Amino acid sequence: MKIIHCADLHLDSSMESGLPPEKAGERRLELLRTFTRMVERAAEEQVEAILLAGDLFDAGTVSARAGSCVLDVVAEHPQITFYYLQGNHDRNGFLSDAGRLPDNLKTFGPGWTSYEQGEVTITGAELCKDTPEDLMERLALNQSRVNIVMLHGTAGEQEGSDPQDTVPLRALRGRGIDYLALGHIHSFRLDRLDDRGCWCYSGCLEGRGFDECGEKGYVELEIDQGKIVPAFVPFAERSLHDIPVDITGALTQDDIQRKVRQEMRDIPQKDIVQIRLTGRVEPEVEPDPAWIRKWLEDSCYFLKVRDETSLLIRPEDYRYDVSLKGEFVRLVLASELAEDEKEAVLRKGICALTGE
């Protein structure tokens, strides 16, 4: 038996990577397409169930396009049972506004709900204001079956200050769980729960911002003779990359461009990239992110360039400099400005003094 565990699709997201409107619109469509591609692949591989462990949507209201797309895909694949557990971003009335739900779409509530499919029991509860305080103590599983438990929240050893956001692992150990399918954290993570089972974040299907870099996808569970074997499957249409580039020693924009291009040499052209220029540069060198982005924008789907360099100012170089620039540097360095303010003033002042 095969089951897919995915979470945090955030369909209808406004996109958080600073994309221009046209590309942001394309990415919203790609998020929907990645979901449909996953279901199509599941059908090809005879997957019997898909676990949607929270945050299927992103906004307070779900667009007609996104809502109908999800319901149509579910209805078109009756051989797959979809288990949809709402997350903290899913409080949007999607289920109530949808009318009659497809028979193969199963849902959960604030208390434990269980479904049986073959040798597997799938149990889940939504963490929200209506969730009972003793929810974890109420969990009762038939330990002779293969047990999958679904929750959406932050895994920790004990209950946190916000019970609507906390999955206390200590309270779930020794309860007969074979696989704890979690949502809320957008990176894949797999770890042991106890001697019997494991807990897992599938991560999100697509990265949306530069805090969601790297491979994204879902987890496929192979269940055979009472054992669950999970495997992460990379599946995103595009990956995001956050790349620091040390430009210390660069003297011209061409030097900087060569260093950036070198760091981007293995990035697929379809991906989304943020370059962060780092290091210490000479006062006469002012990195130009707009110039770099323009020259390299065809090397990937979208390129963002940030200047995080600091000035290389050696006070001894200006101690006996009788030029206007020397006097300016000495005055700024001796001022009571904060270090970041000194750097900003020096950078702009030196550029002005050199006619830029």
Side-chain angles (χ1 to χ4, degrees), residues 232-262:
F232 177 73
V233 180
F235 202 67
E237 177 70 21
R238 307 180 194 278
S239 292
L240 284 87
H241 308 265
D242 180 33
I243 306 174
V245 180
D246 188 345
I247 62 170
T248 301
L251 298 177
T252 66
Q253 294 295 335
D254 286 340
D255 291 342
I256 297 172
Q257 179 188 329
R258 281 192 290 271
K259 286 177 177 285
V260 171
R261 193 180 291 279
Q262 176 69 15

Side-chain angles (χ1 to χ4, degrees), residues 155-340:
E157 284 303 309
Q158 301 182 17
E159 293 189 11
S161 57
D162 184 1
Q164 297 181 34
D165 185 49
T166 305
V167 178
L169 298 176
R170 180 176 296 181
L172 295 171
R173 292 193 174 99
R175 309 298 290 272
I177 299 173
D178 294 284
Y179 184 83
L180 178 57
L182 298 175
H184 193 46
I185 303 301
H186 292 188
S187 297
F188 169 69
R189 183 177 177 186
L190 176 66
D191 209 341
R192 297 301 306 176
L193 176 65
D194 53 25
D195 291 341
R196 173 165 174 163
C198 61
W199 60 272
C200 181
Y201 283 109
S202 64
C204 52
L205 273 183
E206 292 274 354
R208 295 173 299 142
F210 291 111
D211 57 343
E212 297 176 357
C213 294
E215 287 188 326
K216 303 297 177 185
Y218 60 83
V219 176
E220 185 171 286
L221 309 178
E222 187 82 43
I223 303 171
D224 186 32
Q225 297 182 346
K227 299 295 183 182
I228 296 181
V229 179
F232 177 73
V233 180
F235 202 67
E237 177 70 21
R238 307 180 194 278
S239 292
L240 284 87
H241 308 265
D242 180 33
I243 306 174
V245 180
D246 188 345
I247 62 170
T248 301
L251 298 177
T252 66
Q253 294 295 335
D254 286 340
D255 291 342
I256 297 172
Q257 179 188 329
R258 281 192 290 271
K259 286 177 177 285
V260 171
R261 193 180 291 279
Q262 176 69 15
E263 293 297 327
M264 291 180 61
R265 63 189 182 280
D266 296 325
I267 302 297
Q269 192 171 8
K270 67 181 181 65
D271 284 358
I272 300 171
V273 180
Q274 173 173 265
I275 295 295
R276 291 184 293 108
L277 304 177
T278 65
R280 305 187 69 190
V281 298
E282 299 286 345
E284 292 77 13
V285 178
E286 183 176 19
D288 187 343
W291 185 88
I292 297 168
R293 184 174 61 82
K294 183 62 179 177
W295 277 97
L296 299 176
E297 62 184 357
D298 293 336
S299 61
C300 57
Y301 177 76
F302 176 73
L303 176 64
K304 182 177 182 179
V305 183
R306 294 173 52 187
D307 180 10
E308 298 181 357
T309 60
S310 58
L311 282 181
L312 178 60
I313 297 289
R314 294 177 289 265
E316 61 273 14
D317 291 347
Y318 298 93
R319 183 174 301 167
Y320 304 110
D321 189 337
V322 296
S323 69
L324 183 58
K325 183 170 69 173
E327 182 64 18
F328 169 71
V329 171
R330 289 192 294 272
L331 284 171
V332 174
L333 292 177
S335 71
E336 295 182 356
L337 292 172
E339 290 303 315
D340 58 337

